[in-house]
Amino acid sequence: MLDWNATRALNISAGLFIDGQWTPGEAGASFSSLDPTTGEVFARVTEAGASEVDGAIEAAARAQPGWAALPPAARAAMFYAAAELFIGRQDQFAQALIRETGSGYGKAMFECSQIPIALREAAGLATRDIGEILPSQVPGKYNRTYRTPVGVIGVITPWNFPLYLSIRGIVYALALGNTAVLKPSEDSPVTGGLMIAELFADAGFPAGVLNVVTTSRDRAPIVGDAFVKDPRVKVVSFTGSTKVGQMLATACAPIFKPVVLELGGKNPTIVMEDADLDRAVDIAFFGKFLHQGQICMSCDKVLVARSVYDLFLEKLVAKTRNFVPTNPAEQTCVIGPLINGRALQRVEAMVNEAVAAGAKVHCGGNSRGPYYEPTVLSAVTRDMAVWIDEIFGPVVTVTPFDTIGEAVAMANDTPYGLSASIVTGNPMLGEMLAERIHAGMVHVNDSTVHDEPHAPFGGLGASGGGGKWGPKGAIEAYTVQRWIATQREPRTLPF
Ligand code: ADP
């Protein structure tokens, strides 16, 4: 295994991973993946151009029929092998997540814990049913449906949970007999792509089944364009911002190319009057501050029944004050750095603008080096960016409500619809309320940040609309269904 955590020595890490080979970029260009805590270069990474992207798509297209023709048990064995290998490499993966993306140790280990689960889930998918028999109205007719892999998928992933989101993006599609070209984020090319390429190669996946191309942000559109326009790429899978997702979906629409999207969120936690407030504080705190709030499921707004609002706010602020941002290399780190200066400045501007317009800061509200202090805001109004836009940082707003209808209206006051949480002493009421929330996922008495690899993860509206992640959603997204009907006995036709 390459020593990914000593890449400063290694530099220009390994190259692009195309057709089972580490391949240099044609122009010899490279870019830096930076450690967000220190600003130092974590890795120099090869810059792909149009011809490398084309080569990766070609390799995937060539490998696909042979891969799909393997017995399911042979495909499954490679996923089990990858899971075992991963467990042996978990510490290297976690250290790389800490250094490349500023993940706290706990977050990095949590992310790693999902990988073997997802790989084994994918192994099981290889033998799931791929067809059905339907009754017919016509005597002697046999209706069957068959599902076959779509072919090559193009996968683009972000930096916040780079390892898990890339794994999630590829494994179910591969298990179903597809092949893939993966482009990880420019902020996480190693943990979101190159280490995965190495893992899959070592686990025995044949050449061309998984190809990884890396680019800087400026060159990302080269990959996006190729995935959209190249007829060999049958489905585009994207996890990232609503802006880029919208662009890709718009470009795919006129050529009817399917896109699978997971975009932003503006996720509420509703605290009911009968909630255990200490539990509600823990739920809101975890939902907001895990990974500095840089998660599509992060809880941006806590809506609290007015009768318990003051006490809840006091308890949340008291807890939040205990967490001082620290270097994520320290095992006790909960709040680490933001991913880059651009992200930090964005959060700063949002808070400053809210405060200038009348919002109240109860704790935090400042940046220190690469960190932004965990921040609790109240007196937030509907015209403020902190209420409208995804915050993607360690800042939470707390707002009182008087009626359940008002709580629902405020929770739904957004075009997004990814995740929500409801904290109540009455789970039945929580479930009934959940049905009124415009979100793909609602957690009663748990935080907005929750995922299980086998569950139908996905959002509504600006969070991505149709399509679900996870094994069941993958069957819909990454196979073509055909109805094949056979008339076994002669049929009397009308003329
Ligand atoms: P963020 O701002 O959180 O990085 P983005 O949506 O910008 O979210 O990035 C998510 C992924 O989309 C990254 O892999 C990034 O390189 C990629 N990306 C950004 N712009 C484009 C584009 N025009 N075409 C294709 N991919 C893009």
Side-chain angles (χ1 to χ4, degrees), residues 285 289 320-321 323-325 335 363-366 372-376 394-395:
F285 186 88
F289 294 112
T320 306
R321 281 213 171 100
F323 289 86
V324 176
I335 312 282
C363 59
N366 294 298
Y372 197 83
E373 294 170 347
T375 300
V376 178
V395 177

Side-chain angles (χ1 to χ4, degrees), residues 17 29 66 107 110 138 141 176 231 246 291-292 300 313 320 352 382 392 408 448 464 473 489:
F17 191 71
K107 181 267 185 187
F110 169 70
V138 180
K141 183 176 289 297
L176 291 162
Q246 199 167 39
H291 201 33
Q292 298 78 264
D300 273 8
L313 186 57
T320 306
N352 293 345
R382 287 191 66 203
F392 235 64
V408 170
T448 55
E489 300 159 18

Side-chain angles (χ1 to χ4, degrees), residues 156-159 183-186 217 220-221 224 238-241 244 247:
I156 299 176
T157 55
W159 49 263
K183 191 209 82 69
S185 167
E186 58 280 0
R217 191 166 185 87
F238 175 80
T239 307
S241 65
V244 176
M247 219 170 58

